[in-house]
Amino acid sequence: MKSSVPPKSLKDQIRWQLWLTIAANFGLFYVVAQSDAFAASGVSGLLTGAANLLPVGLALIVTTIANGLLDASMKARLVFLRWNFALPGHRAFSVYAVADPRVDVARLRESIGELPNTRADENLVWYRLYKKIEADPAVTQIHREFLFTRDYAAFSFLFLLGFGVAALFLISEWKVALLYLLALIGQFIVVRHAAANYGVRLVSTVLAQSSARPRKEQKSSNKSQRGRNDQNE
């Protein structure tokens, strides 16, 4: 008997990982903010300083709310460091298709016709290919990793702003504050780079999987798509 419970979306699957990153950053910030108390009284100093959690909690709340204000476009700009046409799908055929040895460009031309020649069209055509094979395990796994690292990169940028500014007011030892700020900067750089790599890999994998599909499967898919288009006209 099949379960009636719908499968979790990719965003639901990565939610617990994101909350772990928030909790870890929250914990590190609290420890660093209470570094003076810890140096003076050890672990008991940290526990005693729990009464000072209000500013830490406020920074966490502000960071969480601010993340909701960042839409997918802004997150893409943060990750790929581009303002216009930020997503790698905008360079799917002109850059990544020809750079990835797994992609058979000739087969892609057979299945989709002439390759798109504008950034906007590249992303549109690539997205149509993605929708056809989005349930493929290889595509799903990379897509999940990209969504997690993309959102983590957005959070780490907000941690840098929120926790970084709060640290300037709460940490009296400037060396500790400087090391903490460097750690936040390092976290953003590393996670952003990982997210960018996963984004490019997602685009390349969709192209590679699409070009590797049997010709019969591609033709039947194209006929089915044309049939749906005819019905909609």
Side-chain angles (χ1 to χ4, degrees):
M1 183 177 179
K2 293 184 178 180
S3 173
S4 59
V5 179
K8 288 185 177 181
S9 67
L10 292 180
K11 289 189 175 181
D12 287 335
Q13 293 177 33
I14 66 173
R15 197 177 303 276
W16 68 272
Q17 293 173 287
L18 289 174
W19 280 111
L20 278 180
T21 65
I22 293 174
N25 276 270
F26 177 88
L28 177 61
F29 179 63
Y30 173 68
V31 170
V32 172
Q34 299 299 318
S35 58
D36 291 342
F38 179 75
S41 307
V43 176
S44 62
L46 286 179
L47 299 177
T48 304
N52 298 323
L53 277 175
L54 181 60
V56 183
L58 181 61
L60 178 62
I61 292 171
V62 170
T63 298
T64 305
I65 293 175
N67 182 63
L69 301 177
L70 293 178
D71 60 13
S73 297
M74 286 304 301
K75 291 177 181 178
R77 288 166 179 160
L78 274 175
V79 168
F80 299 105
L81 302 180
R82 292 173 178 266
W83 188 259
N84 296 315
F85 304 115
L87 290 170
H90 292 292
R91 291 164 294 283
F93 299 91
S94 59
V95 177
Y96 303 117
V98 296
D100 194 324
R102 300 175 302 165
V103 179
D104 188 334
V105 178
R107 290 282 292 275
L108 281 179
R109 285 196 180 95
E110 289 180 11
S111 62
I112 66 175
E114 192 66 29
L115 298 182
N117 54 17
T118 67
R119 297 296 191 205
D121 287 344
E122 284 192 63
N123 192 57
L124 288 173
V125 175
W126 175 84
Y127 186 71
R128 284 201 292 267
L129 293 176
Y130 161 74
K131 292 302 290 183
K132 292 178 183 178
I133 60 171
E134 61 181 328
D136 184 280
V139 174
T140 301
Q141 179 182 356
I142 297 175
H143 194 189
R144 182 169 53 245
E145 298 297 340
F146 168 64
L147 289 177
F148 167 64
T149 50
R150 181 203 65 177
D151 284 5
Y152 185 7
F155 268 120
S156 64
F157 177 75
L158 294 171
F159 291 151
L160 177 58
L161 297 181
F163 288 166
V165 171
L168 297 177
F169 294 95
L170 294 178
I171 303 174
S172 59
E173 180 59 49
W174 70 269
K175 289 183 179 180
V176 175
L178 179 60
L179 287 174
Y180 178 65
L181 288 174
L182 289 176
L184 290 177
I185 293 171
Q187 176 181 232
F188 172 69
I189 291 174
V190 170
V191 178
R192 186 216 64 80
H193 185 69
N197 285 343
Y198 278 123
V200 171
R201 194 178 304 174
L202 172 62
V203 169
S204 298
T205 299
V206 168
L207 295 175
Q209 296 288 88
S210 297
S211 67
R213 294 170 69 196
R215 285 185 171 84
K216 290 183 179 179
E217 183 181 348
Q218 291 177 351
K219 291 179 180 179
S220 64
S221 177
N222 291 339
K223 288 181 180 179
S224 176
Q225 183 66 37
R226 286 196 296 270
R228 286 196 293 270
N229 292 339
D230 293 340
Q231 292 174 2
N232 292 332
E233 291 179 352

